[in-house]
Amino acid sequence: NYYPLHQWGCNGTLAGAGDWMGSGLANTNTIVGAGCTYSTWSVHPGPPAAVTVTNYSIGGYSDWYLPTRDQMIGLTQDLEAGLFTLSNFSVATSNTNTWYWSSTESTNATNSVAYAVVPDTSHTTFNSAGNLTNKTSYCLIRAMRDIT
């Protein structure tokens, strides 16, 4: 998790970020290339989610990206199956502040929504299929990188 919360960015602009498994890096580069604007809201000012992850560096790696909806769903399914654990992975609530941005957007009349994935290990309230969320909402981000 990276704080503070971030907007997806590109509100009103279709960046062209799709949902294909493995296209998170290409999506992130597309979003950054679209020139998404920074949030100026005083509570959570800062760059959009995709810009934040491309500037992240840990353990000598700087090739992080915002995963697609399908990649985030795969991650939550693997967590639910107990295949691994992640520290600081929020428990989902109905509040978007506990949802995670994906790099997948959706076309609608105003190009104003993208998918946020709701991690749910209980399968009682939310599903992990992703919710269409306003790009101006503030959600968490979980960066991924390809292991080579």
Side-chain angles (χ1 to χ4, degrees):
N1 296 330
Y2 309 104
Y3 299 96
L5 299 166
H6 294 270
Q7 291 182 332
W8 197 89
C10 292
N11 190 46
T13 300
L14 183 62
D19 198 22
W20 305 275
M21 182 64 89
S23 64
L25 179 59
N27 281 355
T28 300
N29 291 335
T30 297
I31 297 164
V32 171
C36 301
T37 59
Y38 282 49
S39 167
T40 57
W41 186 40
S42 62
V43 177
H44 298 292
V51 172
T52 299
V53 298
T54 59
N55 291 328
Y56 192 68
S57 179
I58 187 170
Y61 299 103
S62 58
D63 56 346
W64 300 92
Y65 59 86
L66 197 61
T68 65
R69 177 180 60 161
D70 285 349
Q71 288 171 307
M72 281 298 293
I73 290 169
L75 174 67
T76 60
Q77 288 171 341
D78 288 349
L79 285 168
E80 291 166 6
L83 298 178
F84 63 91
T85 61
L86 288 173
S87 62
N88 300 324
F89 207 68
S90 287
V91 176
T93 69
S94 60
N95 186 329
T96 59
N97 292 347
T98 60
W99 301 358
Y100 289 85
W101 278 127
S102 75
S103 63
T104 304
E105 67 183 333
S106 177
T107 58
N108 67 4
T110 61
N111 297 318
S112 61
V113 293
Y115 283 94
V117 174
V118 183
D120 175 34
T121 57
S122 68
H123 295 291
T124 56
T125 308
F126 304 100
N127 66 51
S128 59
N131 292 340
L132 280 174
T133 306
N134 287 327
K135 291 178 179 180
T136 57
S137 295
Y138 287 85
C139 296
L140 299 168
I141 53 178
R142 172 67 67 177
M144 286 189 168
R145 61 178 297 275
D146 294 328
I147 298 173
T148 55

